[in-house]
Amino acid sequence: MEDQVQLAVLLGNPGPEYERTRHNIGFMVADLAAGRLAPGERWRDWKGLGLYVEFSCGGRRCFLLKPQTYMNLSGRAVQSLGGFYKVPAPAILAVYDDLALPFGKLRIRKDGSGGSHNGMNSVIETVGPSLPRLRLGIGPRPAHIPGTNFVLSRFSKEEEERLPAFLAAACDALAGTFSDGVERAMNAFNNAL
């Protein structure tokens, strides 16, 4: 990417009751990515709206952001930090869970709608639809479980065993998007798992 500033917003909900739930896979990627891309850096508060880590990548100023506003208001943190640092929408990568993808699959897209994901829809409302996204598969949802209940549930034992490799692949895709741009990252990662 040619932008001088890049931002990855990784969606989840704050609080111990949401840790290790499917809806918080974005936060899990955030923590792993921070350790890999910004070793030694600590999460800092952004105006009570989110936690962020800043680092340099390829000569650009880069940020990871974990909104602390709860999922449905995630866009407030993105608008505040992204607006302050003048990050254009195409340089903002949204990372979030997706029921439509099977567990372990990831998809990078250049733009589009947020579908039924309220956190992504909140981000789109504040910065527009022309931002790339990294969708992390947490499905399929069993037909007898409502979507809201499923995304707030914990991973199965088998999924927990596969989770470290999935999170690592998501970190690689995030880093690849930052370093090589969306098109190359799509080609490299969309069929990888």
Side-chain angles (χ1 to χ4, degrees):
M1 287 186 173
E2 296 178 5
D3 302 294
Q4 293 303 304
V5 183
Q6 292 177 268
L7 164 65
V9 54
L10 302 106
L11 302 185
N13 283 311
E17 66 271 34
Y18 297 106
E19 287 179 9
R20 310 278 315 164
T21 62
R22 297 170 196 278
H23 219 21
N24 266 34
I25 196 166
F27 276 12
M28 292 181 223
V29 173
D31 291 335
L32 185 59
R36 284 185 172 190
L37 301 175
E41 291 294 322
R42 297 182 63 185
W43 290 99
R44 294 182 278 173
D45 177 69
W46 180 264
K47 302 182 179 182
L49 297 172
L51 300 174
Y52 75 99
V53 169
E54 181 179 352
F55 59 100
S56 177
C57 56
R60 290 180 296 274
R61 195 173 193 181
C62 295
F63 296 90
L64 302 176
L65 173 66
K66 294 196 297 186
Q68 300 293 293
T69 53
Y70 290 97
M71 189 68 79
N72 295 357
L73 298 174
S74 297
R76 291 176 56 199
V78 180
Q79 184 178 42
S80 179
L81 188 140
F84 184 85
Y85 289 104
K86 298 178 174 51
V87 187
I92 300 172
L93 176 69
V95 182
Y96 61 99
D97 58 287
D98 193 327
L99 277 171
L101 292 174
F103 179 84
K105 294 287 185 185
L106 55 84
R107 290 289 178 270
I108 301 169
R109 294 285 181 258
K110 288 172 67 171
D111 53 28
S113 76
S116 63
H117 198 288
N118 292 331
M120 187 60 193
N121 285 324
S122 173
V123 173
I124 288 172
E125 283 174 20
T126 59
V127 300
S130 62
L131 73 156
R133 66 274 326 261
L134 170 56
R135 297 164 36 218
L136 308 172
I138 60 163
R141 173 181 64 87
H144 66 283
I145 301 177
T148 304
N149 292 1
F150 183 70
V151 299
L152 294 176
S153 69
R154 309 226 177 255
F155 295 102
S156 70
K157 183 179 177 184
E158 187 260 341
E159 288 168 339
E160 280 284 353
E161 290 171 0
R162 294 172 53 203
L163 194 56
F166 185 26
L167 296 176
C171 283
D172 291 343
L174 186 160
T177 303
F178 269 11
S179 62
D180 301 328
V182 177
E183 292 284 348
R184 284 187 180 176
M186 286 170 64
N187 292 332
F189 295 100
N190 279 356
N191 297 313
L193 293 178

PDB file of all heavy atoms in Angstrom, residues 18-48:
ATOM      1  N   TYR A  18     -16.420 -12.370  27.663  1.00  0.00           N
ATOM      2  CA  TYR A  18     -16.377 -12.567  26.212  1.00  0.00           C
ATOM      3  C   TYR A  18     -15.076 -13.206  25.730  1.00  0.00           C
ATOM      4  O   TYR A  18     -14.963 -13.549  24.553  1.00  0.00           O
ATOM      5  CB  TYR A  18     -16.585 -11.232  25.491  1.00  0.00           C
ATOM      6  CG  TYR A  18     -17.935 -10.625  25.767  1.00  0.00           C
ATOM      7  CD1 TYR A  18     -18.056  -9.527  26.596  1.00  0.00           C
ATOM      8  CD2 TYR A  18     -19.089 -11.170  25.208  1.00  0.00           C
ATOM      9  CE1 TYR A  18     -19.305  -8.967  26.858  1.00  0.00           C
ATOM     10  CE2 TYR A  18     -20.335 -10.626  25.470  1.00  0.00           C
ATOM     11  CZ  TYR A  18     -20.429  -9.525  26.297  1.00  0.00           C
ATOM     12  OH  TYR A  18     -21.665  -8.987  26.554  1.00  0.00           O
ATOM     13  N   GLU A  19     -14.098 -13.339  26.613  1.00  0.00           N
ATOM     14  CA  GLU A  19     -12.820 -13.925  26.207  1.00  0.00           C
ATOM     15  C   GLU A  19     -13.022 -15.343  25.695  1.00  0.00           C
ATOM     16  O   GLU A  19     -13.833 -16.092  26.235  1.00  0.00           O
ATOM     17  CB  GLU A  19     -11.844 -13.929  27.390  1.00  0.00           C
ATOM     18  CG  GLU A  19     -11.316 -12.552  27.735  1.00  0.00           C
ATOM     19  CD  GLU A  19     -10.385 -12.567  28.920  1.00  0.00           C
ATOM     20  OE1 GLU A  19     -10.006 -13.669  29.389  1.00  0.00           O
ATOM     21  OE2 GLU A  19     -10.036 -11.478  29.407  1.00  0.00           O
ATOM     22  N   ARG A  20     -12.294 -15.670  24.654  1.00  0.00           N
ATOM     23  CA  ARG A  20     -12.305 -17.013  24.045  1.00  0.00           C
ATOM     24  C   ARG A  20     -13.665 -17.406  23.479  1.00  0.00           C
ATOM     25  O   ARG A  20     -13.961 -18.579  23.340  1.00  0.00           O
ATOM     26  CB  ARG A  20     -11.821 -18.084  25.027  1.00  0.00           C
ATOM     27  CG  ARG A  20     -10.534 -17.799  25.733  1.00  0.00           C
ATOM     28  CD  ARG A  20      -9.262 -18.061  25.072  1.00  0.00           C
ATOM     29  NE  ARG A  20      -9.021 -19.274  24.364  1.00  0.00           N
ATOM     30  CZ  ARG A  20      -8.000 -19.377  23.508  1.00  0.00           C
ATOM     31  NH1 ARG A  20      -7.221 -18.350  23.261  1.00  0.00           N
ATOM     32  NH2 ARG A  20      -7.781 -20.495  22.881  1.00  0.00           N
ATOM     33  N   THR A  21     -14.499 -16.423  23.163  1.00  0.00           N
ATOM     34  CA  THR A  21     -15.742 -16.716  22.444  1.00  0.00           C
ATOM     35  C   THR A  21     -15.500 -16.491  20.958  1.00  0.00           C
ATOM     36  O   THR A  21     -14.561 -15.787  20.562  1.00  0.00           O
ATOM     37  CB  THR A  21     -16.914 -15.833  22.915  1.00  0.00           C
ATOM     38  OG1 THR A  21     -16.606 -14.464  22.664  1.00  0.00           O
ATOM     39  CG2 THR A  21     -17.212 -16.046  24.393  1.00  0.00           C
ATOM     40  N   ARG A  22     -16.367 -17.069  20.147  1.00  0.00           N
ATOM     41  CA  ARG A  22     -16.209 -16.969  18.694  1.00  0.00           C
ATOM     42  C   ARG A  22     -16.215 -15.514  18.221  1.00  0.00           C
ATOM     43  O   ARG A  22     -15.474 -15.141  17.318  1.00  0.00           O
ATOM     44  CB  ARG A  22     -17.337 -17.743  18.006  1.00  0.00           C
ATOM     45  CG  ARG A  22     -17.322 -19.219  18.297  1.00  0.00           C
ATOM     46  CD  ARG A  22     -18.592 -19.894  17.783  1.00  0.00           C
ATOM     47  NE  ARG A  22     -18.752 -21.202  18.386  1.00  0.00           N
ATOM     48  CZ  ARG A  22     -18.136 -22.298  17.957  1.00  0.00           C
ATOM     49  NH1 ARG A  22     -17.329 -22.248  16.918  1.00  0.00           N
ATOM     50  NH2 ARG A  22     -18.321 -23.441  18.574  1.00  0.00           N
ATOM     51  N   HIS A  23     -17.069 -14.698  18.836  1.00  0.00           N
ATOM     52  CA  HIS A  23     -17.204 -13.298  18.425  1.00  0.00           C
ATOM     53  C   HIS A  23     -15.933 -12.503  18.709  1.00  0.00           C
ATOM     54  O   HIS A  23     -15.751 -11.417  18.182  1.00  0.00           O
ATOM     55  CB  HIS A  23     -18.386 -12.679  19.173  1.00  0.00           C
ATOM     56  CG  HIS A  23     -19.218 -11.734  18.372  1.00  0.00           C
ATOM     57  ND1 HIS A  23     -19.256 -11.717  16.988  1.00  0.00           N
ATOM     58  CD2 HIS A  23     -20.075 -10.760  18.766  1.00  0.00           C
ATOM     59  CE1 HIS A  23     -20.106 -10.776  16.580  1.00  0.00           C
ATOM     60  NE2 HIS A  23     -20.602 -10.184  17.627  1.00  0.00           N
ATOM     61  N   ASN A  24     -15.065 -13.028  19.562  1.00  0.00           N
ATOM     62  CA  ASN A  24     -13.853 -12.306  19.953  1.00  0.00           C
ATOM     63  C   ASN A  24     -12.600 -12.803  19.261  1.00  0.00           C
ATOM     64  O   ASN A  24     -11.492 -12.487  19.674  1.00  0.00           O
ATOM     65  CB  ASN A  24     -13.665 -12.367  21.472  1.00  0.00           C
ATOM     66  CG  ASN A  24     -14.273 -11.153  22.146  1.00  0.00           C
ATOM     67  OD1 ASN A  24     -15.283 -10.636  21.681  1.00  0.00           O
ATOM     68  ND2 ASN A  24     -13.677 -10.698  23.215  1.00  0.00           N
ATOM     69  N   ILE A  25     -12.765 -13.539  18.186  1.00  0.00           N
ATOM     70  CA  ILE A  25     -11.573 -14.035  17.495  1.00  0.00           C
ATOM     71  C   ILE A  25     -10.735 -12.871  16.953  1.00  0.00           C
ATOM     72  O   ILE A  25      -9.513 -12.962  16.871  1.00  0.00           O
ATOM     73  CB  ILE A  25     -11.936 -15.061  16.400  1.00  0.00           C
ATOM     74  CG1 ILE A  25     -10.687 -15.845  15.983  1.00  0.00           C
ATOM     75  CG2 ILE A  25     -12.658 -14.396  15.235  1.00  0.00           C
ATOM     76  CD1 ILE A  25     -10.990 -17.091  15.165  1.00  0.00           C
ATOM     77  N   GLY A  26     -11.376 -11.752  16.651  1.00  0.00           N
ATOM     78  CA  GLY A  26     -10.631 -10.567  16.221  1.00  0.00           C
ATOM     79  C   GLY A  26      -9.669 -10.079  17.299  1.00  0.00           C
ATOM     80  O   GLY A  26      -8.517  -9.727  17.017  1.00  0.00           O
ATOM     81  N   PHE A  27     -10.133 -10.067  18.556  1.00  0.00           N
ATOM     82  CA  PHE A  27      -9.262  -9.663  19.661  1.00  0.00           C
ATOM     83  C   PHE A  27      -8.120 -10.663  19.846  1.00  0.00           C
ATOM     84  O   PHE A  27      -7.000 -10.283  20.196  1.00  0.00           O
ATOM     85  CB  PHE A  27     -10.058  -9.558  20.961  1.00  0.00           C
ATOM     86  CG  PHE A  27     -10.780  -8.246  21.152  1.00  0.00           C
ATOM     87  CD1 PHE A  27     -10.924  -7.331  20.118  1.00  0.00           C
ATOM     88  CD2 PHE A  27     -11.324  -7.927  22.382  1.00  0.00           C
ATOM     89  CE1 PHE A  27     -11.585  -6.125  20.313  1.00  0.00           C
ATOM     90  CE2 PHE A  27     -11.979  -6.727  22.596  1.00  0.00           C
ATOM     91  CZ  PHE A  27     -12.118  -5.818  21.567  1.00  0.00           C
ATOM     92  N   MET A  28      -8.393 -11.951  19.637  1.00  0.00           N
ATOM     93  CA  MET A  28      -7.337 -12.959  19.764  1.00  0.00           C
ATOM     94  C   MET A  28      -6.250 -12.734  18.721  1.00  0.00           C
ATOM     95  O   MET A  28      -5.052 -12.818  19.025  1.00  0.00           O
ATOM     96  CB  MET A  28      -7.929 -14.361  19.622  1.00  0.00           C
ATOM     97  CG  MET A  28      -8.834 -14.767  20.755  1.00  0.00           C
ATOM     98  SD  MET A  28      -9.449 -16.453  20.487  1.00  0.00           S
ATOM     99  CE  MET A  28     -11.155 -16.231  20.940  1.00  0.00           C
ATOM    100  N   VAL A  29      -6.667 -12.416  17.503  1.00  0.00           N
ATOM    101  CA  VAL A  29      -5.700 -12.102  16.446  1.00  0.00           C
ATOM    102  C   VAL A  29      -4.938 -10.838  16.812  1.00  0.00           C
ATOM    103  O   VAL A  29      -3.723 -10.745  16.615  1.00  0.00           O
ATOM    104  CB  VAL A  29      -6.402 -11.965  15.078  1.00  0.00           C
ATOM    105  CG1 VAL A  29      -5.423 -11.459  14.012  1.00  0.00           C
ATOM    106  CG2 VAL A  29      -7.019 -13.288  14.650  1.00  0.00           C
ATOM    107  N   ALA A  30      -5.640  -9.847  17.373  1.00  0.00           N
ATOM    108  CA  ALA A  30      -4.994  -8.588  17.759  1.00  0.00           C
ATOM    109  C   ALA A  30      -3.852  -8.837  18.730  1.00  0.00           C
ATOM    110  O   ALA A  30      -2.751  -8.295  18.567  1.00  0.00           O
ATOM    111  CB  ALA A  30      -6.024  -7.633  18.383  1.00  0.00           C
ATOM    112  N   ASP A  31      -4.102  -9.644  19.742  1.00  0.00           N
ATOM    113  CA  ASP A  31      -3.069  -9.887  20.757  1.00  0.00           C
ATOM    114  C   ASP A  31      -1.867 -10.624  20.172  1.00  0.00           C
ATOM    115  O   ASP A  31      -0.718 -10.289  20.467  1.00  0.00           O
ATOM    116  CB  ASP A  31      -3.663 -10.651  21.935  1.00  0.00           C
ATOM    117  CG  ASP A  31      -4.655  -9.807  22.732  1.00  0.00           C
ATOM    118  OD1 ASP A  31      -4.548  -8.569  22.710  1.00  0.00           O
ATOM    119  OD2 ASP A  31      -5.549 -10.398  23.371  1.00  0.00           O
ATOM    120  N   LEU A  32      -2.135 -11.603  19.317  1.00  0.00           N
ATOM    121  CA  LEU A  32      -1.035 -12.330  18.682  1.00  0.00           C
ATOM    122  C   LEU A  32      -0.271 -11.419  17.717  1.00  0.00           C
ATOM    123  O   LEU A  32       0.964 -11.406  17.702  1.00  0.00           O
ATOM    124  CB  LEU A  32      -1.574 -13.557  17.946  1.00  0.00           C
ATOM    125  CG  LEU A  32      -0.530 -14.492  17.337  1.00  0.00           C
ATOM    126  CD1 LEU A  32       0.431 -15.032  18.390  1.00  0.00           C
ATOM    127  CD2 LEU A  32      -1.224 -15.645  16.618  1.00  0.00           C
ATOM    128  N   ALA A  33      -1.002 -10.631  16.940  1.00  0.00           N
ATOM    129  CA  ALA A  33      -0.363  -9.728  15.978  1.00  0.00           C
ATOM    130  C   ALA A  33       0.478  -8.672  16.680  1.00  0.00           C
ATOM    131  O   ALA A  33       1.565  -8.316  16.211  1.00  0.00           O
ATOM    132  CB  ALA A  33      -1.417  -9.072  15.089  1.00  0.00           C
ATOM    133  N   ALA A  34      -0.006  -8.164  17.806  1.00  0.00           N
ATOM    134  CA  ALA A  34       0.760  -7.153  18.548  1.00  0.00           C
ATOM    135  C   ALA A  34       2.098  -7.732  18.997  1.00  0.00           C
ATOM    136  O   ALA A  34       3.140  -7.085  18.891  1.00  0.00           O
ATOM    137  CB  ALA A  34      -0.043  -6.647  19.745  1.00  0.00           C
ATOM    138  N   GLY A  35       2.078  -8.971  19.485  1.00  0.00           N
ATOM    139  CA  GLY A  35       3.322  -9.609  19.907  1.00  0.00           C
ATOM    140  C   GLY A  35       4.285  -9.846  18.764  1.00  0.00           C
ATOM    141  O   GLY A  35       5.504  -9.752  18.935  1.00  0.00           O
ATOM    142  N   ARG A  36       3.750 -10.129  17.593  1.00  0.00           N
ATOM    143  CA  ARG A  36       4.605 -10.399  16.421  1.00  0.00           C
ATOM    144  C   ARG A  36       5.084  -9.116  15.740  1.00  0.00           C
ATOM    145  O   ARG A  36       6.235  -9.034  15.329  1.00  0.00           O
ATOM    146  CB  ARG A  36       3.811 -11.201  15.390  1.00  0.00           C
ATOM    147  CG  ARG A  36       3.628 -12.642  15.712  1.00  0.00           C
ATOM    148  CD  ARG A  36       2.934 -13.298  14.548  1.00  0.00           C
ATOM    149  NE  ARG A  36       2.871 -14.732  14.668  1.00  0.00           N
ATOM    150  CZ  ARG A  36       2.481 -15.517  13.684  1.00  0.00           C
ATOM    151  NH1 ARG A  36       2.138 -15.012  12.523  1.00  0.00           N
ATOM    152  NH2 ARG A  36       2.438 -16.805  13.862  1.00  0.00           N
ATOM    153  N   LEU A  37       4.173  -8.162  15.552  1.00  0.00           N
ATOM    154  CA  LEU A  37       4.490  -6.974  14.746  1.00  0.00           C
ATOM    155  C   LEU A  37       5.039  -5.818  15.568  1.00  0.00           C
ATOM    156  O   LEU A  37       5.724  -4.949  15.041  1.00  0.00           O
ATOM    157  CB  LEU A  37       3.237  -6.510  13.989  1.00  0.00           C
ATOM    158  CG  LEU A  37       2.608  -7.537  13.047  1.00  0.00           C
ATOM    159  CD1 LEU A  37       1.307  -6.998  12.462  1.00  0.00           C
ATOM    160  CD2 LEU A  37       3.583  -7.918  11.941  1.00  0.00           C
ATOM    161  N   ALA A  38       4.692  -5.799  16.850  1.00  0.00           N
ATOM    162  CA  ALA A  38       5.138  -4.705  17.715  1.00  0.00           C
ATOM    163  C   ALA A  38       5.663  -5.268  19.027  1.00  0.00           C
ATOM    164  O   ALA A  38       5.156  -4.944  20.104  1.00  0.00           O
ATOM    165  CB  ALA A  38       3.983  -3.742  17.961  1.00  0.00           C
ATOM    166  N   PRO A  39       6.682  -6.141  18.965  1.00  0.00           N
ATOM    167  CA  PRO A  39       7.174  -6.775  20.190  1.00  0.00           C
ATOM    168  C   PRO A  39       7.650  -5.737  21.198  1.00  0.00           C
ATOM    169  O   PRO A  39       8.323  -4.769  20.844  1.00  0.00           O
ATOM    170  CB  PRO A  39       8.332  -7.659  19.706  1.00  0.00           C
ATOM    171  CG  PRO A  39       8.713  -7.121  18.365  1.00  0.00           C
ATOM    172  CD  PRO A  39       7.479  -6.511  17.785  1.00  0.00           C
ATOM    173  N   GLY A  40       7.244  -5.950  22.445  1.00  0.00           N
ATOM    174  CA  GLY A  40       7.643  -5.025  23.505  1.00  0.00           C
ATOM    175  C   GLY A  40       6.706  -3.852  23.681  1.00  0.00           C
ATOM    176  O   GLY A  40       6.758  -3.165  24.700  1.00  0.00           O
ATOM    177  N   GLU A  41       5.839  -3.602  22.701  1.00  0.00           N
ATOM    178  CA  GLU A  41       4.878  -2.502  22.828  1.00  0.00           C
ATOM    179  C   GLU A  41       3.691  -2.962  23.662  1.00  0.00           C
ATOM    180  O   GLU A  41       3.298  -4.125  23.621  1.00  0.00           O
ATOM    181  CB  GLU A  41       4.379  -2.044  21.447  1.00  0.00           C
ATOM    182  CG  GLU A  41       5.425  -1.362  20.607  1.00  0.00           C
ATOM    183  CD  GLU A  41       5.868  -0.035  21.187  1.00  0.00           C
ATOM    184  OE1 GLU A  41       5.009   0.706  21.729  1.00  0.00           O
ATOM    185  OE2 GLU A  41       7.070   0.267  21.118  1.00  0.00           O
ATOM    186  N   ARG A  42       3.115  -2.027  24.405  1.00  0.00           N
ATOM    187  CA  ARG A  42       1.942  -2.342  25.226  1.00  0.00           C
ATOM    188  C   ARG A  42       0.717  -1.672  24.627  1.00  0.00           C
ATOM    189  O   ARG A  42       0.821  -0.623  23.986  1.00  0.00           O
ATOM    190  CB  ARG A  42       2.166  -1.844  26.651  1.00  0.00           C
ATOM    191  CG  ARG A  42       3.349  -2.548  27.323  1.00  0.00           C
ATOM    192  CD  ARG A  42       3.534  -2.097  28.743  1.00  0.00           C
ATOM    193  NE  ARG A  42       2.349  -2.457  29.510  1.00  0.00           N
ATOM    194  CZ  ARG A  42       2.167  -2.105  30.767  1.00  0.00           C
ATOM    195  NH1 ARG A  42       3.073  -1.406  31.405  1.00  0.00           N
ATOM    196  NH2 ARG A  42       1.071  -2.446  31.405  1.00  0.00           N
ATOM    197  N   TRP A  43      -0.441  -2.283  24.857  1.00  0.00           N
ATOM    198  CA  TRP A  43      -1.694  -1.669  24.427  1.00  0.00           C
ATOM    199  C   TRP A  43      -1.912  -0.386  25.213  1.00  0.00           C
ATOM    200  O   TRP A  43      -1.730  -0.358  26.427  1.00  0.00           O
ATOM    201  CB  TRP A  43      -2.866  -2.626  24.667  1.00  0.00           C
ATOM    202  CG  TRP A  43      -2.846  -3.812  23.756  1.00  0.00           C
ATOM    203  CD1 TRP A  43      -2.388  -5.066  24.041  1.00  0.00           C
ATOM    204  CD2 TRP A  43      -3.295  -3.854  22.403  1.00  0.00           C
ATOM    205  NE1 TRP A  43      -2.523  -5.886  22.951  1.00  0.00           N
ATOM    206  CE2 TRP A  43      -3.085  -5.166  21.927  1.00  0.00           C
ATOM    207  CE3 TRP A  43      -3.864  -2.921  21.535  1.00  0.00           C
ATOM    208  CZ2 TRP A  43      -3.422  -5.561  20.631  1.00  0.00           C
ATOM    209  CZ3 TRP A  43      -4.192  -3.317  20.242  1.00  0.00           C
ATOM    210  CH2 TRP A  43      -3.973  -4.620  19.805  1.00  0.00           C
ATOM    211  N   ARG A  44      -2.253   0.678  24.498  1.00  0.00           N
ATOM    212  CA  ARG A  44      -2.504   1.976  25.121  1.00  0.00           C
ATOM    213  C   ARG A  44      -3.949   2.400  24.888  1.00  0.00           C
ATOM    214  O   ARG A  44      -4.554   2.016  23.886  1.00  0.00           O
ATOM    215  CB  ARG A  44      -1.550   3.034  24.556  1.00  0.00           C
ATOM    216  CG  ARG A  44      -0.095   2.765  24.916  1.00  0.00           C
ATOM    217  CD  ARG A  44       0.816   3.837  24.391  1.00  0.00           C
ATOM    218  NE  ARG A  44       1.111   3.566  22.980  1.00  0.00           N
ATOM    219  CZ  ARG A  44       1.780   4.390  22.183  1.00  0.00           C
ATOM    220  NH1 ARG A  44       2.203   5.548  22.623  1.00  0.00           N
ATOM    221  NH2 ARG A  44       2.012   4.061  20.924  1.00  0.00           N
ATOM    222  N   ASP A  45      -4.467   3.201  25.786  1.00  0.00           N
ATOM    223  CA  ASP A  45      -5.846   3.662  25.682  1.00  0.00           C
ATOM    224  C   ASP A  45      -5.976   4.780  24.642  1.00  0.00           C
ATOM    225  O   ASP A  45      -5.133   5.678  24.579  1.00  0.00           O
ATOM    226  CB  ASP A  45      -6.325   4.184  27.037  1.00  0.00           C
ATOM    227  CG  ASP A  45      -7.737   4.738  26.952  1.00  0.00           C
ATOM    228  OD1 ASP A  45      -8.670   3.948  26.755  1.00  0.00           O
ATOM    229  OD2 ASP A  45      -7.896   5.971  27.067  1.00  0.00           O
ATOM    230  N   TRP A  46      -7.027   4.694  23.832  1.00  0.00           N
ATOM    231  CA  TRP A  46      -7.353   5.765  22.895  1.00  0.00           C
ATOM    232  C   TRP A  46      -8.688   6.389  23.302  1.00  0.00           C
ATOM    233  O   TRP A  46      -9.745   5.897  22.966  1.00  0.00           O
ATOM    234  CB  TRP A  46      -7.427   5.271  21.451  1.00  0.00           C
ATOM    235  CG  TRP A  46      -7.776   6.397  20.510  1.00  0.00           C
ATOM    236  CD1 TRP A  46      -9.014   6.723  20.038  1.00  0.00           C
ATOM    237  CD2 TRP A  46      -6.890   7.386  20.009  1.00  0.00           C
ATOM    238  NE1 TRP A  46      -8.952   7.854  19.259  1.00  0.00           N
ATOM    239  CE2 TRP A  46      -7.651   8.285  19.230  1.00  0.00           C
ATOM    240  CE3 TRP A  46      -5.522   7.622  20.153  1.00  0.00           C
ATOM    241  CZ2 TRP A  46      -7.091   9.384  18.585  1.00  0.00           C
ATOM    242  CZ3 TRP A  46      -4.963   8.714  19.502  1.00  0.00           C
ATOM    243  CH2 TRP A  46      -5.742   9.577  18.732  1.00  0.00           C
ATOM    244  N   LYS A  47      -8.616   7.444  24.107  1.00  0.00           N
ATOM    245  CA  LYS A  47      -9.777   8.261  24.478  1.00  0.00           C
ATOM    246  C   LYS A  47     -10.941   7.450  25.033  1.00  0.00           C
ATOM    247  O   LYS A  47     -12.100   7.787  24.844  1.00  0.00           O
ATOM    248  CB  LYS A  47     -10.234   9.092  23.276  1.00  0.00           C
ATOM    249  CG  LYS A  47      -9.142  10.006  22.742  1.00  0.00           C
ATOM    250  CD  LYS A  47      -9.620  10.856  21.590  1.00  0.00           C
ATOM    251  CE  LYS A  47      -8.495  11.760  21.107  1.00  0.00           C
ATOM    252  NZ  LYS A  47      -8.901  12.652  20.032  1.00  0.00           N
ATOM    253  N   GLY A  48     -10.626   6.350  25.696  1.00  0.00           N
ATOM    254  CA  GLY A  48     -11.666   5.514  26.269  1.00  0.00           C
ATOM    255  C   GLY A  48     -12.461   4.714  25.254  1.00  0.00           C
ATOM    256  O   GLY A  48     -13.370   3.966  25.613  1.00  0.00           O
TER     257      GLY A  48
END
